[in-house]
Amino acid sequence: MALVKKTKLAESYFGQVVIGPPGSGKTTYCGKVFDFYKMKLNRQVEVINLDPANDNMNYSPKIDIMQLITVEDVMKNYQLGPNGALMYCMEYLEANFDWLLNQLFQIKDCYLIFDMPGQVELYTHHDSIKNIFSKLDKLSYHLCAVHLVDSHYCSDATKFISTLLLSLSTMMQVGLPHVNVLSKADLLKKNLSKLDFGLDFYTDVLDLQYLLEQLNEGAFTKKYKKLNKAIVGLIEDYSLVSFIPLDVKSDRSLLELKGAIDKANGYIYGSGEERSIQALLSCAVGARTDSERFDTDYM
């Protein structure tokens, strides 16, 4: 038995942990990426659902936390609200880490996609998820956090600053290689003219002093000029946050994000996948519509 366990620990596993606020498109992304990796890149991949309240999955998970515990059962049995029940479920998973590990050991030679809950407290100051993936990291699971936030937050200076603070806090708390994503970029594309700045200002998080001017324009925020300046300075001092825009309907967009994630977690694909990538790129270059030019320039 010890020999089997030792052999398993000698292997390396790769994957991504998909996190982000409710409504950011995590489950939709997981389903799209599963199909994209499997059907178009020939990558062996499995999705793992670790959201105990996820009853709208558009994929068939290889591992499902809802077989261990659900938010609904916890709320019913312990008279907790949905937020408290979700935290309880994550603490329960941490306490029953062997349940997860035993199932992970049954998955052979596959890239892993973890679909996570949307409660932001789990990634900003609660320790269970951080502890779970820290244990997996020690067992040669090379994982990257993919943090999705809705791109509509770019439309308002205060919302975008909140998004930057959330992303920064999550990066520091979770402790994994990190890729920040502006999801639903197809909607962002339709409303580029309504943004205060160009798209690269939001993706590259350029000089936030310009954003500070926007923050200080409102009658309410004028009272908090010093606070606004301190917050902007905090984000700029760390210089960690930038975003990749994502349109899950675009193969080129999925391909670029895949490249950033693979670079972050160290995944190296085989020759078969390389040929698939080259074929996808050739198709995209050979048939560039106006819509695809947006993908080429911004995705």
Side-chain angles (χ1 to χ4, degrees):
M1 190 71 177
L3 288 177
V4 173
K5 190 172 184 180
K6 189 172 182 180
T7 301
K8 289 181 181 295
L9 295 183
E11 299 175 1
S12 291
Y13 308 85
F14 294 87
Q16 54 187 271
V17 181
V18 183
I19 61 179
S24 56
K26 295 183 298 299
T27 297
T28 298
Y29 167 82
C30 289
K32 290 286 187 179
V33 166
F34 173 79
D35 290 339
F36 180 71
Y37 284 12
K38 192 176 185 70
M39 305 303 295
K40 297 193 175 182
L41 299 184
N42 297 312
R43 180 182 294 190
Q44 296 301 309
V45 59
E46 295 290 355
V47 184
I48 297 162
N49 176 48
L50 292 187
D51 182 354
N54 194 354
D55 54 3
N56 291 307
M57 288 176 278
N58 55 353
Y59 56 81
S60 297
K62 189 68 174 180
I63 302 172
D64 189 356
I65 190 178
M66 297 180 76
Q67 295 177 352
L68 174 70
I69 191 170
T70 69
V71 164
E72 184 179 354
D73 287 342
V74 172
M75 291 174 64
K76 180 179 178 180
N77 294 327
Y78 295 98
Q79 288 75 53
L80 292 172
N83 288 348
L86 189 51
M87 287 190 174
Y88 180 95
C89 289
M90 292 299 102
E91 291 168 358
Y92 189 83
L93 178 61
E94 181 186 2
N96 292 272
F97 178 74
D98 286 346
W99 174 87
L100 175 61
L101 194 60
N102 289 335
Q103 295 202 57
L104 285 172
F105 279 161
Q106 305 306 311
I107 302 176
K108 306 290 186 181
D109 302 320
C110 276
Y111 185 92
L112 306 174
I113 300 172
F114 293 83
D115 190 2
M116 304 301 295
Q119 188 176 355
V120 296
E121 294 93 329
L122 294 171
Y123 312 108
T124 56
H125 57 270
H126 194 264
D127 287 335
S128 289
I129 286 178
K130 177 183 73 173
N131 294 339
I132 289 167
F133 288 109
S134 177
K135 291 178 182 178
L136 288 177
D137 179 66
K138 293 175 182 177
L139 297 173
S140 297
Y141 283 83
H142 303 285
L143 302 173
C144 169
V146 180
H147 186 214
L148 272 63
V149 293
D150 196 315
S151 61
H152 88 267
Y153 292 126
C154 295
S155 63
D156 182 86
T158 55
K159 291 179 181 178
F160 187 63
I161 284 291
S162 297
T163 296
L164 292 174
L165 288 173
L166 173 63
S167 299
L168 180 60
S169 177
T170 300
M171 292 173 75
M172 298 181 69
Q173 171 70 6
V174 173
L176 291 173
H178 207 94
V179 175
N180 290 304
V181 177
L182 287 176
S183 63
K184 307 176 186 177
D186 52 323
L187 300 178
L188 184 64
K189 171 182 131 179
K190 295 177 182 178
N191 295 282
L192 284 175
S193 61
K194 298 179 182 179
L195 296 180
D196 293 319
F197 307 101
L199 183 61
D200 57 348
F201 179 90
Y202 300 95
T203 56
D204 298 339
V205 189
L206 301 175
D207 190 350
L208 294 183
Q209 295 304 312
Y210 294 106
L211 199 65
L212 185 60
E213 294 175 9
Q214 297 286 326
L215 284 173
N216 291 336
E217 280 184 358
F220 176 77
T221 53
K222 283 181 180 178
K223 293 175 57 179
Y224 302 103
K225 280 188 176 182
K226 290 184 179 179
L227 177 60
N228 291 337
K229 185 176 181 180
I231 291 173
V232 166
L234 176 68
I235 296 168
E236 290 184 327
D237 287 345
Y238 278 97
S239 297
L240 292 176
V241 184
S242 61
F243 295 97
I244 296 176
L246 171 68
D247 175 3
V248 294
K249 302 185 191 78
S250 165
D251 286 352
R252 177 174 287 276
S253 182
L254 290 170
L255 199 58
E256 178 165 338
L257 180 57
K258 178 210 72 72
I261 295 169
D262 288 349
K263 184 177 180 180
N265 65 16
Y267 180 82
I268 301 175
Y269 49 79
S271 58
E273 186 173 329
E274 184 176 8
R275 287 193 294 271
S276 299
I277 292 172
Q278 292 301 322
L280 283 171
L281 288 173
S282 297
C283 289
V285 171
R288 291 185 67 198
T289 64
D290 288 340
S291 175
E292 287 166 332
R293 285 192 187 93
F294 177 87
D295 290 342
T296 301
D297 295 337
Y298 297 105
M299 297 296 180

